[in-house]
Amino acid sequence: MASLDRSLIAGLSVFEGIAAADLDRIVGQARSIRVARDQSVFEQEQEAHSFFLLLDGHVRVVKSTPDGHEVTVRYISPGELMGIAGALGRTTYPANAVAAVDCVVLAWPSHLWPTFATSFPSFSANTYKMVGSRLQDAHMRVIEMSTEQVEQRVANALLKLVKQSGKKVEEGILIDFPISRQDIAEMTGTTLHTVSRLLSAWEDQGLVKSGRQRVVVVEPHRLVVVAEGRGSKR
């Protein structure tokens, strides 16, 4: 197998502050994996044998509940780490990671995590900063569930996805990976029927365009008004 080049990870926020020779050492211990759309990168409660960096594509993080339901928790974008059970003090993965599109990931054996954290302090600091950001996002979602109307939650979810992976297209800003109305419902604690009703109403108002696993935000500023609770209630 051809050796991996440090240019794959140089410039990514999690590797900021690491010398070129150390980047060579880090990437030299990784392996590149292609993951087809809808295939698992790892599964909830599976032994955490590796941790991963997403190079290309988008990954959906899905949590299985005790009663058998699956809830979409978040989406991973290129440049983000995932499956970092060691950073959470776990030996198993806390959720499922499923490729939303064809993906390329780098994988390192989990036994390297303590070595990386000790040998590269900036890597450790950057990783825990990322973990903290994700925890903050989770806390904000709890607050949103408790305090916001459903249309605010759905609008906020779409705006966050646009910020994370928006791509400018002729109609507006495309969420640049397949996302279903059911995925949006799971992310916002509501039903498929409610999301369908809201998206249909927003299409009539010219805020969004949606189709099968495709959402384009046409008027982001007007959607912000809805997210802030200043839009009409439906």
Side-chain angles (χ1 to χ4, degrees):
M1 186 193 328
S3 60
L4 300 173
D5 190 271
R6 68 170 177 262
S7 62
L8 291 171
I9 61 174
L12 298 179
S13 60
V14 73
F15 296 107
E16 284 181 358
I18 299 179
D22 290 331
L23 291 176
D24 286 335
R25 178 182 166 192
I26 290 170
V27 79
Q29 298 179 81
R31 59 194 175 99
S32 177
I33 304 171
R34 293 186 179 275
V35 185
R37 177 179 173 181
D38 295 329
Q39 296 300 304
S40 293
V41 181
F42 53 81
E43 297 182 357
Q44 183 172 325
E45 299 305 332
Q46 175 188 13
E47 182 181 354
H49 52 77
S50 302
F51 62 97
F52 306 86
L53 173 77
L54 182 62
L55 286 181
D56 187 51
H58 287 87
V59 169
R60 185 171 67 252
V61 179
V62 181
K63 186 82 171 177
S64 298
T65 65
D67 59 0
H69 289 87
E70 292 192 337
V71 178
T72 299
V73 177
R74 62 176 283 111
Y75 283 83
I76 303 291
S77 293
E80 291 191 67
L81 290 172
M82 55 184 170
I84 49 175
L88 304 175
R90 295 179 59 105
T91 59
T92 59
Y93 297 117
N96 305 296
V98 181
V101 295
D102 291 347
C103 294
V104 179
V105 304
L106 294 183
W108 290 268
S110 287
H111 69 77
L112 291 177
W113 181 266
T115 302
F116 282 13
T118 302
S119 301
F120 313 116
S122 59
F123 171 79
S124 180
N126 293 337
T127 297
Y128 285 109
K129 181 180 178 181
M130 181 194 66
V131 170
S133 177
R134 290 179 182 177
L135 287 173
Q136 185 176 17
D137 285 346
H139 292 159
M140 285 302 300
R141 286 185 63 188
V142 172
I143 293 171
E144 289 172 2
M145 295 286 191
S146 303
T147 63
E148 293 185 352
Q149 299 289 332
V150 64
E151 61 268 26
Q152 291 177 266
R153 300 201 303 269
V154 173
N156 267 316
L158 295 182
L159 290 168
K160 288 174 184 175
L161 292 171
V162 161
K163 181 178 179 181
Q164 181 179 1
S165 64
K167 176 182 178 182
K168 186 68 177 176
V169 295
E170 186 176 351
E171 308 109 295
I173 305 175
L174 171 70
I175 296 173
D176 196 23
F177 53 82
I179 184 167
S180 69
R181 293 183 174 192
Q182 182 63 43
D183 293 332
I184 297 169
E186 292 173 0
M187 293 179 69
T188 55
T190 189
T191 64
L192 172 60
H193 172 76
T194 298
V195 170
S196 296
R197 177 174 57 82
L198 285 171
L199 290 182
S200 294
W202 291 345
E203 286 190 58
D204 290 343
Q205 297 170 35
L207 273 68
V208 302
K209 289 185 177 181
S210 64
R212 187 175 182 273
Q213 297 195 325
R214 184 178 189 271
V215 178
V216 177
V217 175
V218 179
E219 295 281 357
H221 297 297
R222 291 174 61 196
L223 200 60
V224 169
V225 171
V226 177
E228 292 176 348
R230 296 184 283 132
S232 59
K233 301 294 187 291
R234 287 179 180 264

